[in-house]
Amino acid sequence: MSGLKISKQFFLEEGLPALKDIFPDIDHMAAFGMAGEGSDCFGYDDEISRDHDWGPGFCIWIESAADDNLNTELKKVYENLPRKWKGLKTRLTGAPARTGVFEISAFFKQFTGMDRIPESVLEWWAIPDFMLAAATNGEVFSDYPGVFSADRAYLSAIPEDVRVKHIAQYAFQAGQSGQYNYLRALRRGDIPAQNLALSRFGESAMKMLYHLGCRYPPYYKWLHRGLIDTGEAGKQLSPLFIKLFEKKEVIDIIETISSRLIEEIKNQDLSDGGSDFLIDHLADIHDRISSKELAILKIEP
């Protein structure tokens, strides 16, 4: 059973009853669930994941920490939950804190760096997309007040201009590293440069597929694991990335992946160019960004 399902059971069977003993109306005062950093929040955990930051636990999200008494008492109840449950060590203490009681704004600030939700496209652009993936993953078990879920839904819906800017960014990085620099490193016999270019290409191409599928890419080590959930293009290309990093038919695979990315760009009406080089589509993609201040921002090579 996945860590997320185990944590939900722990909350329903142990956490919520213990909380209601002290606060009978607690389910109308807070939100509960699991989200944030950790493979279990993405549903990617396995046996290897169990060596750290894994086990039954949950988050309690309250609207404000102004009521210090409530905050303190909730923490006491949480810390008094069983240290072991169904043979598993529970996550009740330790750093960094991934379970326990959080003020909603403080919880999201861990990922956005802001005391409030982002408003302008430049504020959205400044937040790393893998952090937004962590802020909006997992599952909300219960949220009668609805404040946490509303903020979470807002953060889940990336503005279209920002999504398109990310597509431009990763198209540039994939084209430069894979279709250009990898070949030059190959001709030079520069093996470290070849491997760095190949890694850069794979990471950028996969991140691009997430944004083409209107999803946030997770932390780099989980990019391929979640690729099949990004849409048809991600499903089709997933096996090719395995072959790519096994160093099989590298040049052909780079071009096949690039061609499929360009096809998807055109399917979404982000380019009408005829080139088979990803970088040649950047001008068209940027023309689709309505925010001029975002469109002209230099993207990282």
Side-chain angles (χ1 to χ4, degrees):
M1 184 181 293
S2 71
L4 191 59
K5 289 182 179 179
I6 289 170
S7 288
K8 187 173 185 178
Q9 279 192 3
F10 179 64
F11 164 71
L12 292 173
E13 296 178 19
E14 294 285 347
L16 187 58
L19 288 163
K20 289 178 79 69
D21 279 346
I22 308 299
F23 302 99
D25 296 325
I26 189 60
D27 49 350
H28 292 272
M29 300 164 62
F32 307 91
M34 270 295 291
E37 295 176 300
S39 57
D40 53 338
C41 293
F42 286 100
Y44 300 157
D45 51 310
D46 53 22
E47 290 297 324
I48 296 174
S49 306
R50 299 188 177 203
D51 64 347
H52 73 289
D53 293 328
W54 190 94
F58 58 93
C59 300
I60 303 171
W61 295 294
I62 57 177
E63 188 171 354
S64 173
D67 187 344
D68 291 334
N69 183 58
L70 174 62
N71 195 19
T72 300
E73 291 303 313
L74 286 174
K75 287 180 178 179
K76 284 182 181 177
V77 176
Y78 187 85
E79 291 302 324
N80 283 326
L81 292 172
R83 290 295 192 259
K84 278 198 172 183
W85 183 74
K86 296 188 176 180
L88 298 170
K89 184 180 179 181
T90 53
R91 284 193 289 172
L92 303 181
T93 58
R98 295 185 176 180
T99 57
V101 184
F102 299 89
E103 182 184 357
I104 293 172
S105 61
F107 176 81
F108 286 123
K109 185 179 180 179
Q110 299 176 85
F111 308 103
T112 66
M114 302 174 65
D115 290 317
R116 54 175 175 77
I117 55 179
E119 297 172 357
S120 71
V121 291
L122 293 182
E123 287 179 341
W124 275 96
W125 179 250
I127 304 170
D129 47 9
F130 76 92
M131 295 298 276
L132 287 166
T136 56
N137 65 11
E139 182 181 350
V140 177
F141 304 152
S142 172
D143 184 8
Y144 285 103
V147 176
F148 179 81
S149 293
D151 285 352
R152 175 182 164 94
Y154 180 87
L155 288 173
S156 297
I158 188 171
E160 181 64 4
D161 274 358
V162 181
R163 183 184 81 94
V164 174
K165 183 70 175 183
H166 276 299
I167 291 170
Q169 174 189 31
Y170 296 132
F172 179 45
Q173 292 175 351
Q176 186 185 59
S177 59
Q179 292 183 290
Y180 182 74
N181 281 329
Y182 177 79
L183 293 174
R184 294 173 72 83
L186 191 64
R187 294 190 189 108
R188 292 187 174 110
D190 188 337
I191 294 175
Q194 290 172 39
N195 283 288
L196 288 168
L198 197 61
S199 178
R200 181 77 158 180
F201 170 77
E203 182 176 356
S204 300
M206 283 188 272
K207 286 181 175 180
M208 189 175 169
L209 284 164
Y210 276 85
H211 281 290
L212 286 167
C214 298
R215 295 172 65 95
Y216 293 125
Y219 192 53
Y220 75 93
K221 68 177 179 178
W222 300 119
L223 283 172
H224 186 262
R225 172 65 177 78
L227 204 59
I228 59 173
D229 298 320
T230 63
E232 194 57 36
K235 290 178 184 177
Q236 291 173 358
L237 294 178
S238 178
L240 286 185
F241 283 104
I242 295 174
K243 291 181 68 176
L244 180 75
F245 288 113
E246 289 176 342
K247 308 291 179 63
K248 297 177 180 178
E249 306 169 17
V250 172
I251 296 175
D252 287 343
I253 290 176
I254 286 175
E255 290 306 319
T256 298
I257 291 172
S258 299
S259 177
R260 185 66 180 88
L261 290 173
I262 291 169
E263 179 185 345
E264 194 60 30
I265 290 171
K266 291 183 175 182
N267 287 343
Q268 297 192 19
D269 194 30
L270 296 176
S271 175
D272 50 17
S275 174
D276 59 2
F277 187 35
L278 277 163
I279 293 177
D280 288 343
H281 296 269
L282 290 182
D284 278 357
I285 296 172
H286 274 104
D287 283 345
R288 270 64 170 183
I289 300 175
S290 58
S291 168
K292 298 306 178 185
E293 58 184 353
L294 184 60
I296 64 174
L297 273 186
K298 186 177 181 180
I299 51 182
E300 182 184 349

